[in-house]
Amino acid sequence: MEQRRVGDSGLVVSRLGLGTLTWGRDTGEDAARGLLETFVEAGGTLIDTAAAYGAGDAERLLGRLVDEVTSRDEVVLASKAGFVVRRGERVVDTSRRALLRDLDASLRRLGTDHLDLWQVHAWGDAPLEESLSAVDQAVTSGRVRYAGVSNFVGWQTAQAATWQRADPARTTLVSAQVEYSLLARRAEVEVLPALRAFGMGCFPWSPLGRGVLTGQYRVGVPRGSRAATEHFAWFVEPYLEPRSRGVVEAVVRAAEGLDLTPLQVALLWVRDAPGVTAPLLGARTAGQLAPALATEDLTLPPEIASALDDVSGGPNALRHPPTTP
């Protein structure tokens, strides 16, 4: 698999990442092992998890499987901190205490002494400088190699990056995670331009529109799909509306013309969009992952990518920047 640098940093990752949101809950150990084996055999290196995924179960499962399937040094382990569970509810806590506590717990669950990439999972109520001081301590102590943010909007990303660059002793932020797909293009307005300005990489989550762009919901909600589960229905439902259906049909038509699957068309559009480093794939089985990995030698014709831009919200200004007269 092709490898890409994360922004202007020295960190290099595969251009597709493996997400572990469902591990330990919807994805059991056997399925997770199959996913990891398939991903690594294809040349994938970036594996993304978080302290909040399955209340730590995703990290525990990943920690058991990494040394069994591959070598720790052969993968890029990325995790996130800042979501915590209190009295049965998940809340955002980006205080220094909570972030460093999450980090130490993540390292224990993953069975490693360091993370290759550690990300503040969301913008919180704690002062930004306090949250970022935890990032600095994590890197200085050797527990983290590179740092980034997740789910920050454009001005939040720029503020965090500017704060860190104001003092050479602070850790430069190298990446951001944000939802980005043909059904969620808001990142193009501020986040992607901010990342470009600060030399940061982008890891899109839900590049398949929370599964809707695969076409599986065209005639209803299939049994066993995420939308059919009590804990994920809320996540998918926002994209099961008329505007999304129009985008899905355009993806299906493009797939038919290119002899690809809708999943592959939607993924290629994101993978090769300007500013993207590596989309994160949330497949639950190796069978679901295989079509995505089969895109390695494929690209969308420019006219198809532009047509999908048009139908999903308009031209991508980063793909076709305006010319100066």
Side-chain angles (χ1 to χ4, degrees):
M1 188 181 300
E2 180 182 316
Q3 305 291 301
R4 290 176 172 174
R5 288 180 62 193
V6 180
D8 294 336
S9 76
L11 182 61
V12 176
V13 300
S14 53
R15 64 173 172 176
L16 294 176
L18 181 63
T20 63
L21 172 64
T22 63
W23 286 30
R25 181 168 55 182
D26 297 334
T27 303
E29 184 164 347
D30 289 343
R33 181 183 293 103
L35 282 164
L36 188 56
E37 289 174 345
T38 301
F39 182 68
V40 170
E41 287 172 2
T45 61
L46 174 62
I47 307 171
D48 181 74
T49 190
Y53 293 172
D57 286 345
E59 290 181 329
R60 291 187 189 93
L61 181 51
L62 179 58
R64 291 199 300 269
L65 292 176
V66 165
D67 287 334
E68 177 183 325
V69 172
T70 183
S71 166
R72 168 66 183 89
D73 293 337
E74 296 299 318
V75 295
V76 176
L77 285 183
S79 193
K80 299 179 285 293
F83 274 126
V84 294
V85 176
R86 289 179 181 158
R87 293 181 291 276
E89 295 185 2
R90 194 167 70 169
V91 299
V92 176
D93 186 347
T94 55
S95 66
R96 179 186 180 93
R97 175 175 180 267
L99 289 175
L100 293 175
R101 183 177 57 194
D102 277 359
L103 172 61
D104 288 337
S106 290
L107 294 175
R108 288 194 300 270
R109 289 189 291 260
L110 289 165
T112 184
D113 63 356
H114 74 279
L115 291 173
D116 299 295
L117 176 64
W118 189 49
Q119 302 143 104
V120 180
H121 205 154
W123 183 271
D125 292 333
L128 177 62
E129 56 269 29
E130 177 181 333
S131 302
L132 294 175
S133 73
V135 170
D136 293 334
Q137 180 174 338
V139 173
T140 301
S141 68
R143 289 174 286 175
V144 168
R145 301 294 189 258
Y146 294 90
V149 296
S150 178
N151 300 312
F152 280 30
V153 298
W155 70 264
Q156 294 167 345
T157 303
Q159 184 175 353
T162 299
W163 177 266
Q164 290 303 95
R165 290 187 177 213
D167 185 342
R170 296 177 187 149
T171 300
T172 299
L173 301 178
V174 304
S175 66
Q177 276 193 35
V178 63
E179 182 175 14
Y180 186 44
S181 74
L182 280 163
L183 296 181
R185 294 181 57 191
R186 292 181 298 276
E188 293 173 18
V189 178
E190 291 184 348
V191 176
L192 286 169
L195 297 181
R196 174 175 287 190
F198 287 97
M200 298 168 65
C202 178
F203 299 121
W205 57 264
S206 281
L208 303 178
R210 308 187 185 187
V212 174
L213 289 166
T214 64
Q216 65 176 316
Y217 299 106
R218 292 172 74 198
V219 295
V221 177
R223 181 177 300 177
S225 66
R226 286 185 177 179
T229 64
E230 182 178 350
H231 53 277
F232 269 129
W234 66 270
F235 185 66
V236 180
E237 284 173 359
Y239 293 157
L240 300 180
E241 38 79 36
R243 177 195 166 274
S244 296
R245 287 199 290 271
V247 177
V248 171
E249 291 307 314
V251 170
V252 170
R253 289 195 299 272
E256 291 171 347
L258 296 170
D259 196 24
L260 299 174
T261 67
L263 177 155
Q264 291 172 323
V265 169
L267 178 60
L268 287 168
W269 183 89
V270 177
R271 188 197 69 187
D272 297 331
V276 168
T277 305
L280 302 174
L281 303 170
R284 288 178 290 166
T285 67
Q288 292 176 347
L289 182 62
L293 298 178
T295 63
E296 177 61 21
D297 297 323
L298 303 175
T299 56
L300 286 182
E303 60 272 19
I304 297 296
S306 293
L308 291 173
D309 288 349
D310 292 341
V311 78
S312 63
N316 183 336
L318 299 177
R319 194 192 310 275
H320 301 294
T323 58
T324 302

